[in-house]
Amino acid sequence: MRTNLLMAFVLFIHVNNLCAQTQGTMSTKGDVHEELRYKSAILGYEVHYSIYLPPDYASPGKHYPVLYLLHGYTGDHRSWIKQGKISKIMNRGIASGEIEPMILIIPDGKYYWYINDYQNKARYEDFMFEELLPFVDKTYKTIPGKEHRAVAGLSMGGYGSLVWAMHHPDKFSCCVALSASMFTREGLVNMPDQLYKYMSMLYGAPGATGNDRVTQHFLKNNPVEMARNNPLDSLKVVKWFIDCGNQDQLSDVNKKLHDIYSERHIDHVYHARDGKHDWVFWREGIYQGLKFISEGFRNK
């Protein structure tokens, strides 16, 4: 009898430990889906996207803030998962308490730079705000409203995150731009012809030279110009985080954005640190950016 009781006690302890380990695993790892699709009427094709759901997403009654995370040129909706290791970064940050549990939406931006082109043939920005954003709030357990929505991205995605937040300050509370790929007027005017040929597909004036390259569509979608000319009230309602490596060829234009924000007394965080235009830099940058976004969400 005593032996049976002892065996039952040992079995009870073992089962409890096993359950605790299982619960611990479930509470520290989020759920990632890489091959989701949204059929866009605006773009005329199925847009791929990935999603990260926080560890306790299945908990009844819980809803979460959302981060739209944008990849760079030549990347896709899987880049932040594969090269960026964003799920590991999120899991570690949530477990430590430094990062708030949140939903990450990573859409495939292809090569559209996340904007509408000058001919309105590729209306990626319209797709985002007229189709994808409402779909996400309807489909997933989000907390709707700008106070619990942020945007971040690297390189082309850093540009896209700035443009979206400047065009739609009523949609995002925070913007994190890592190594944002953008041009000043002078940069566009003096751009090598081969690169300009590509950029003119977005901004217009194909074949133009000199100042004729500076179209209204370029100015309308240029973060440096918008930082200088947009109403102060619209810029101050977003929290800004700008991060670019000192060894990155984009460091000067990112510093230009910082300088304009400083001149106009727009609160922002600016990091100019050692680093190149690569994933080593971006993985560190996004962790700091996620902490910045989390602080913004907590203060709502």
Side-chain angles (χ1 to χ4, degrees), residues 62-95:
K62 291 203 69 172
H63 289 74
Y64 303 84
V66 183
L67 169 63
Y68 288 85
L69 187 58
L70 311 183
H71 65 78
Y73 186 68
T74 74
D76 61 24
H77 59 291
R78 296 162 297 192
S79 299
W80 272 111
I81 306 293
K82 303 293 188 186
Q83 295 99 316
K85 306 185 187 304
I86 195 63
S87 59
K88 291 183 179 179
I89 291 171
M90 287 295 300
N91 293 339
R92 175 163 57 94
I94 292 173

Side-chain angles (χ1 to χ4, degrees), residues 44-171:
Y45 65 86
E46 287 188 326
V47 179
H48 289 77
Y49 68 97
S50 295
I51 190 170
Y52 170 90
L53 301 174
D56 58 350
Y57 184 80
S59 300
K62 291 203 69 172
H63 289 74
Y64 303 84
V66 183
L67 169 63
Y68 288 85
L69 187 58
L70 311 183
H71 65 78
Y73 186 68
T74 74
D76 61 24
H77 59 291
R78 296 162 297 192
S79 299
W80 272 111
I81 306 293
K82 303 293 188 186
Q83 295 99 316
K85 306 185 187 304
I86 195 63
S87 59
K88 291 183 179 179
I89 291 171
M90 287 295 300
N91 293 339
R92 175 163 57 94
I94 292 173
S96 71
E98 290 186 306
I99 295 174
E100 282 288 290
M102 65 183 82
I103 297 169
L104 270 54
I105 303 292
I106 311 171
D108 185 359
K110 292 191 179 293
Y111 43 81
Y112 297 136
W113 290 70
Y114 302 101
I115 65 172
N116 295 351
D117 76 302
Y118 78 104
Q119 299 180 88
N120 255 359
K121 289 183 177 180
R123 297 165 50 210
Y124 196 93
E125 188 171 352
D126 287 349
F127 150 73
M128 167 63 194
F129 292 95
E130 295 177 22
E131 293 184 329
L132 186 62
L133 193 151
F135 165 78
V136 168
D137 282 341
K138 181 179 179 181
T139 306
Y140 300 101
K141 294 166 57 177
T142 70
I143 305 175
K146 72 163 278 171
E147 293 82 6
H148 297 95
R149 188 184 298 122
V151 61
L154 66 87
S155 194
M156 180 182 80
Y159 164 86
S161 67
L162 289 168
V163 171
W164 284 4
M166 290 178 177
H167 282 177
H168 307 273
D170 60 321
K171 299 297 185 185

Side-chain angles (χ1 to χ4, degrees), residues 8-81:
F9 178 74
V10 170
L11 181 61
F12 174 78
I13 295 296
H14 175 72
V15 170
N16 270 2
N17 287 340
L18 186 61
C19 289
Q21 291 171 9
T22 303
Q23 289 170 358
T25 300
M26 290 175 62
S27 66
T28 58
K29 288 187 178 181
D31 194 12
V32 176
H33 301 273
E34 296 181 45
E35 293 299 337
L36 301 174
R37 301 183 183 190
Y38 177 85
K39 189 172 183 179
S40 170
I42 289 175
L43 293 176
Y45 65 86
E46 287 188 326
V47 179
H48 289 77
Y49 68 97
S50 295
I51 190 170
Y52 170 90
L53 301 174
D56 58 350
Y57 184 80
S59 300
K62 291 203 69 172
H63 289 74
Y64 303 84
V66 183
L67 169 63
Y68 288 85
L69 187 58
L70 311 183
H71 65 78
Y73 186 68
T74 74
D76 61 24
H77 59 291
R78 296 162 297 192
S79 299
W80 272 111
I81 306 293

Side-chain angles (χ1 to χ4, degrees), residues 7-9 18 35 41-42 56 65 71 86 94 101 192 202 211 214 222 230 235 250 262-263 288:
M7 290 180 62
F9 178 74
L18 186 61
E35 293 299 337
I42 289 175
D56 58 350
H71 65 78
I86 195 63
I94 292 173
L202 292 173
N211 290 324
V214 182
N222 184 270
N230 280 16
L235 294 168
L250 295 166
S262 298
E263 290 165 8
Q288 298 306 317

Side-chain angles (χ1 to χ4, degrees), residues 183-210:
F183 312 101
T184 60
R185 291 189 188 211
E186 294 76 20
L188 187 70
V189 167
N190 298 311
M191 185 178 289
D193 290 345
Q194 192 60 34
L195 177 57
Y196 176 74
K197 182 179 180 181
Y198 169 71
M199 299 310 297
S200 68
M201 295 170 63
L202 292 173
Y203 298 130
T209 59

